[in-house]
Amino acid sequence: RDFSGVMDEVTGAQLIAESLKTQKVEFMFGIVGVPVIEVAMAAQAAGVKYVGMRNEQAACYAASAVGYITGRPGACLVVSGPGLIHALGGMANANINCWPVIVIGGSSDRSQETTGAFQEFPQVESCHLYSKFSARPSSLEAIPSVIEKAVRTSIYGRPGAVYVDIAGDMVNAKIERNKVRLVPCCPPPPVSSAAGDAIEKAVSVLKAAKTPLVIIGKGAAYSRAEDVLRQFVEETGLPFLPTPMGKGVLPDDHPNCAAAARSRALLHADVVLLLGARLNWMLHFGLPPRFNPHVKVIQVDLCAEEMGNNVTPRVALLGDIGAVVAQLLTCIRNDGWRYLSNSEWWGTLKEKIAANAKISKALALKGTLPMNYYTVFHHISQLLPHDCIIVSEGANTMDIGRTMLNNYLPRHRLDAGTFGTMGVGLGFAIAAAAVEGTKIKPQRVVCVEGDSAFGFSGMEVETMCRYNLPVIVIVVNNNGIYSGLDPETWKEMSKMGNLTSVAPPVALLPEARYDEVMTAFGGRGFLVRTPEELRDALQLSLDDWERPCLLNVLIDPSSDRKQQEFPWLTRSNL
Ligand code: ADP
Ligand code: MG
């Protein structure tokens, strides 16, 4: 409306910001510069929360985590050329994780296209590989509909990354408001159910199973299927196995959870009900030697193209996890079927669960110094509140931490994911803390990092301190990638010759003071060597909601995973 007699005009920046807000994009992460500073300012004016980050990659990780946690994409705002290129890592990670995110990139002025302009780059073209949708509005009038389409595309069908380009000269260009057609908020994605005959077939396959297993993936988490899934598992009595980010959809301490017998459960299952998880490397492709060669898979996914990847399913149920599980449950309830709790299968799973728990406990209570991974996670798990959000990355840190740190709530675990990306942790933690910060009773965000993983985005500690985000970062520091050297060996090595010739490529600086990175910006840092110091530092951190804390936990650089039955990434017999 215009009360002054002057035309009511809006800029391109305002149109982007207001369209994002209309589409219920509530968070923006980014790094400003020419030509997008005004976009960030307009976003704040429109009521979108803006978090300024230190690297576009971490900004994009953060924006995508908001998408996974809330079901509505976060926005990532970047400058042209290198800014956008840094964000591609985050887009790839989001797209491969099937997480929604909307990246907004400034680009050079339209009049300078192909002239070698400042930071000129074919941005729309390069984003095609990393996204479901990549476009530049052709005019200011087109901005609301392009933003709506981008947001809708990011959450409809299989979720993923989208890109919207804004030419530098469009950011501050103006247009009369009444010339712009506003586009209303796109509704949540339509929910589809599976075909009735396929449901009946699936139930008959399930009932005939001797050694059934339900696998719960992060698609089930994203689908918010936790309530109906709990009913399904409890009424059928079936054992379930969560994938890494499927952890917490049902609590890890649920009596039907077979996570601690993972290898055995996968190997001997004759029927697998696959709920929102892909049969990719994370599930050993669904093939021998990790799976029974005759396993019958009932595959539930909303993406038809996913059906049959690596294993032809016995039954394919196309639809939303929550809706399809409800259908299965209705069909099963008709005749009150229940899987036998005294079966041989439950017996063999329970035996393995107990045996594995014993090994982990023995390693945890070893009492030697420096501590091993199991000791560290044992003490952490005793102190963490059940509702905390656990972010985790690193090789051993993530793998061992996954087995030792329980999740009790859905979408409360964020890790390196399908793409195996290292460097995601701090961005994810910042996103989770920003979302929690809007709640009356925020939950704790705990970011458990390997020392190498921490390094990829370590400067985001400044971001945490700047916004006073009460994240607890725990760096499990073994002086290297996979493993490093102790300080004495490192010293000897430096005498042997030039370190660039003799130092193992996996080694990082022994006992690096990551805790001082946190204190440098005003957060709290703790150097931890013993279980007592670990418990004290973690308790002090949990009691402090005023600032971020970092625990630098120095562990035995030779500490490793317990003996594994199968080497990592096995893919023989193909
Ligand atoms: P995990 O890492 O847990 O194994 P993946 O990311 O491999 O999980 O697989 C998740 C699957 O879930 C994807 O194939 C995706 O298409 C699917 N998916 C995502 N959201 C839903 C939903 N609401 N309903 C059904 N399937 C979904
Ligand atoms: Mg390490």
Side-chain angles (χ1 to χ4, degrees):
R1 276 163 299 150
D2 175 25
F3 299 110
S4 61
V6 185
M7 272 187 303
D8 189 10
E9 291 181 322
V10 274
T11 63
Q14 283 171 306
L15 280 173
I16 292 176
E18 292 170 14
S19 305
L20 287 171
K21 182 70 184 173
T22 301
Q23 298 305 324
K24 296 210 171 91
V25 173
E26 301 293 347
F27 293 91
M28 179 182 273
F29 303 83
I31 301 184
V32 295
V34 174
V36 299
I37 299 180
E38 289 84 353
V39 178
M41 290 166 59
Q44 282 182 316
V48 176
K49 293 179 184 63
Y50 179 78
V51 180
M53 307 278 290
R54 302 305 301 265
N55 185 295
E56 292 88 350
Q57 218 178 62
C60 198
Y61 296 145
S64 71
V66 165
Y68 176 62
I69 295 170
T70 69
R72 213 73 198 180
C76 170
L77 180 70
V78 298
V79 299
S80 40
L84 188 263
I85 287 172
H86 290 168
L88 292 180
M91 285 177 80
N93 186 72
N95 218 35
I96 289 172
N97 264 347
C98 315
W99 287 4
V101 65
I102 176 167
V103 179
I104 312 277
S107 55
S108 15
D109 290 3
R110 284 171 295 179
S111 64
Q112 295 183 351
E113 238 156 37
T114 75
T115 63
F118 174 65
Q119 298 185 333
E120 182 183 339
F121 195 71
Q123 299 186 177
V124 172
E125 291 86 338
S126 52
C127 285
H128 278 303
L129 255 189
Y130 305 85
S131 66
K132 299 173 73 180
F133 172 86
S134 177
R136 168 196 281 185
S138 56
S139 63
L140 293 184
E141 290 94 320
I143 287 175
S145 59
V146 172
I147 296 278
E148 187 272 346
K149 182 170 169 108
V151 169
R152 180 162 42 84
T153 305
S154 78
I155 54 178
Y156 279 34
R158 174 180 264 175
V162 296
Y163 176 66
V164 176
D165 195 81
I166 173 90
D169 58 295
M170 283 170 73
V171 171
N172 290 318
K174 287 183 179 159
I175 183 173
E176 278 174 58
R177 231 182 230 287
N178 58 21
K179 289 209 170 124
V180 182
R181 186 176 72 89
L182 295 178
V183 185
C185 180
C186 71
V191 173
S192 58
S193 303
D197 55 341
I199 290 287
E200 279 170 27
K201 188 170 169 202
V203 168
S204 72
V205 171
L206 209 49
K207 281 185 188 170
K210 292 206 164 57
T211 54
L213 180 67
V214 179
I215 297 181
I216 300 178
K218 66 175 170 302
Y222 185 79
S223 160
R224 299 180 141 64
E226 51 269 14
D227 293 340
V228 66
L229 244 172
R230 182 189 279 265
Q231 286 172 23
F232 178 81
V233 161
E234 293 180 354
E235 288 187 32
T236 59
L238 291 167
F240 75 87
L241 178 74
T243 65
M245 280 195 258
K247 270 164 68 72
V249 173
L250 298 186
D252 281 332
D253 65 350
H254 191 284
N256 293 39
C257 180
R262 183 178 190 275
S263 292
R264 184 171 289 188
L266 293 180
L267 184 58
H268 298 293
D270 64 349
V271 171
V272 163
L273 175 59
L274 188 66
L275 301 175
R278 286 168 282 183
L279 292 175
N280 56 16
W281 68 277
M282 291 181 81
L283 281 170
H284 319 287
F285 313 101
L287 292 172
R290 303 299 304 268
F291 278 74
N292 165 359
H294 307 296
V295 63
K296 299 180 186 117
V297 176
I298 302 167
Q299 187 169 9
V300 187
D301 205 294
L302 52 55
C303 175
E305 291 91 330
E306 186 56 38
M307 304 295 186
N309 279 338
N310 296 319
V311 176
T312 307
R314 183 55 61 104
V315 190
L317 300 176
L318 187 63
D320 176 72
I321 305 288
V324 173
V325 171
Q327 286 180 292
L328 289 170
L329 191 56
T330 307
C331 188
I332 284 173
R333 272 177 185 163
N334 282 341
D335 53 5
W337 173 81
R338 196 181 159 85
Y339 184 67
L340 295 173
S341 58
N342 61 356
S343 65
E344 206 181 307
W345 180 225
W346 260 124
T348 170
L349 291 174
K350 291 218 160 117
E351 175 212 343
K352 190 69 185 175
I353 290 169
N356 276 340
K358 211 168 141 190
I359 300 175
S360 302
K361 187 142 194 216
L363 286 163
L365 299 178
K366 231 172 151 193
T368 46
L369 290 179
M371 293 185 281
N372 66 38
Y373 282 106
Y374 292 86
T375 309
V376 171
F377 290 128
H378 170 75
H379 292 288
I380 294 175
S381 74
Q382 288 191 330
L383 294 178
L384 289 187
H386 278 197
D387 65 357
C388 74
I389 296 162
I390 300 178
V391 178
S392 183
E393 60 173 335
N396 289 326
T397 299
M398 184 171 72
D399 289 341
I400 302 171
R402 183 172 56 242
T403 66
M404 302 278 295
L405 301 177
N406 276 356
N407 288 92
Y408 302 89
L409 293 171
R411 300 169 296 283
H412 277 51
R413 179 186 163 88
L414 305 167
D415 68 20
T418 309
F419 208 23
T421 312
M422 294 301 153
V424 292
L426 301 197
F428 285 178
I430 286 168
V435 171
E436 286 306 311
T438 63
K439 298 185 181 164
I440 298 165
K441 277 195 82 179
Q443 295 169 343
R444 265 296 176 180
V445 180
V446 181
C447 184
V448 187
E449 300 271 307
D451 54 327
S452 164
F454 175 76
F456 287 91
S457 305
M459 193 52 78
E460 300 303 338
V461 164
E462 188 274 330
T463 310
M464 290 179 183
C465 289
R466 184 163 18 103
Y467 292 102
N468 268 332
L469 298 172
V471 175
I472 300 175
V473 184
I474 303 176
V475 179
V476 185
N477 187 353
N478 70 347
N479 307 339
I481 304 170
Y482 303 120
S483 65
L485 302 175
D486 59 77
E488 291 70 40
T489 313
W490 181 258
K491 213 180 267 166
E492 288 307 308
M493 198 158 277
S494 3
K495 292 185 200 145
M496 277 162 54
N498 191 314
L499 280 168
T500 54
S501 307
V502 297
V506 292
L508 296 171
L509 188 71
E511 304 198 346
R513 294 299 302 273
Y514 300 111
D515 47 311
E516 293 186 356
V517 177
M518 182 57 91
T519 53
F521 301 114
R524 283 174 97 173
F526 299 91
L527 184 67
V528 165
R529 292 178 190 272
T530 67
E532 296 70 37
E533 288 168 357
L534 175 59
R535 296 185 80 98
D536 289 347
L538 185 51
Q539 197 54 60
L540 285 170
S541 306
L542 286 167
D543 293 339
D544 189 345
W545 283 87
E546 299 299 315
R547 76 211 96 190
C549 301
L550 189 148
L551 281 62
N552 182 11
V553 185
L554 303 180
I555 66 160
D556 181 353
S558 66
S559 172
D560 207 347
R561 295 175 74 178
K562 67 177 192 279
Q563 193 70 35
Q564 299 293 305
E565 246 166 278
F566 292 94
W568 196 54
L569 296 180
T570 312
R571 198 186 179 177
S572 51
N573 299 2
L574 271 189

